[in-house]
């Protein structure tokens, strides 16, 4: 009995694995991940072998769920990278810049400070700043201009007082 069960599983694997792995490959666009998903689907089928009436349907539903989980994981990773990128840009490592300029930039409202830090301190192009902040490129440009004008005015006053 055990021998026939193993033979049936081996035949099913030989018949369905290539097609299942290819289907997963089209969904995840990565050979290694596709094979991991297809193999996991077969592992789960094997664990429930006697309780599954329709093995092929079980395999595809299981693989679809694993693909969905993979996509969710990728999206969480993308969001974490975006957050880390923004946080690193907003809190750049200490630079030997003029402390008065740094203090002035820190005193800007968030709406103006974040684009300044991303564009000038993290060297990100306006398009990337736009994506990271969720603002239109024109808005980012206007905010950068407004921030530069505020900084210019504050620095001008500071220089006038120093004389």
């Amino acid at each position: 009995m055990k021998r026939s069960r193993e033979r049936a599983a081996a035949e099913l694997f030989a018949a369905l694995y290539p097609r299942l792995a290819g289907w997963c490959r089209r969904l995840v666009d990565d050979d290694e991940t596709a094979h991991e998903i297809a193999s996991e689907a077969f592992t789960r089928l094997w664990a429930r072998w006697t309780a599954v009436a329709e093995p092929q349907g079980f395999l595809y539903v299981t693989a679809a769920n694993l693909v969905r989980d993979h996509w969710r994981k990728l999206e969480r990773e993308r969001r974490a990278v975006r957050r880390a990128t923004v946080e690193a840009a907003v809190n750049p490592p200490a630079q030997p810049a003029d402390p008065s300029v740094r203090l002035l930039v820190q005193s800007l409202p968030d709406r103006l400070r974040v684009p300044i830090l991303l564009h000038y301190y993290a060297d990100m192009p306006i398009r990337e700043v736009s994506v990271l902040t969720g603002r239109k490129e024109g808005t980012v440009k206007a905010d950068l201009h407004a921030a530069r004008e505020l900084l210019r005015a504050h620095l001008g006053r500071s220089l006038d007082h120093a004389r």
Side-chain angles (χ1 to χ4, degrees):
M1 174 110 175
K2 185 177 180 185
R3 197 50 99 183
S4 64
R5 181 180 150 202
E6 288 177 3
R7 187 177 330 112
E11 289 171 2
L12 186 71
F13 183 85
L16 297 180
Y17 184 84
R19 176 179 268 163
L20 181 66
W23 181 72
C24 291
R25 169 69 173 87
R26 286 190 300 280
L27 294 174
V28 298
D29 198 31
D30 177 61
D31 284 336
E32 186 176 336
T33 303
H35 284 288
E36 286 175 11
I37 289 171
S39 296
E40 179 63 21
F42 269 96
T43 300
R44 291 181 184 190
L45 172 64
W46 181 251
R48 294 166 187 80
W49 184 254
T50 56
V52 174
E54 179 51 51
Q56 184 172 351
F58 179 90
L59 286 169
Y60 277 86
V61 168
T62 301
N65 289 334
L66 292 168
V67 166
R68 183 198 62 224
D69 293 345
H70 171 74
W71 288 341
R72 286 178 177 165
K73 179 183 173 203
L74 285 180
E75 184 54 34
R76 283 191 306 271
E77 288 171 354
R78 281 189 204 107
R79 273 184 288 192
V81 167
R82 279 195 299 268
R83 260 194 317 277
T85 302
V86 169
E87 288 171 12
V90 171
N91 302 316
Q95 297 178 353
D98 181 0
S100 61
V101 172
R102 189 182 71 228
L103 290 173
L104 285 173
V105 170
Q106 287 175 349
S107 71
L108 290 170
D110 279 351
R111 178 182 68 83
L112 302 177
R113 182 175 7 103
V114 171
I116 285 285
L117 291 172
L118 293 174
H119 186 64
Y120 291 109
Y121 286 80
D123 292 325
M124 291 184 184
I126 289 174
R127 175 179 292 124
E128 196 170 339
V129 173
S130 169
V131 169
L132 288 171
T133 60
R135 300 180 196 158
K136 294 181 180 178
E137 286 185 39
T139 304
V140 170
K141 290 177 184 177
D143 288 345
L144 287 171
H145 175 74
R148 285 191 306 266
E149 290 302 312
L150 274 174
L151 293 172
R152 189 175 290 122
H154 284 295
L155 287 171
R157 281 195 298 269
S158 296
L159 290 175
D160 288 342
H161 290 301
R163 291 181 192 164

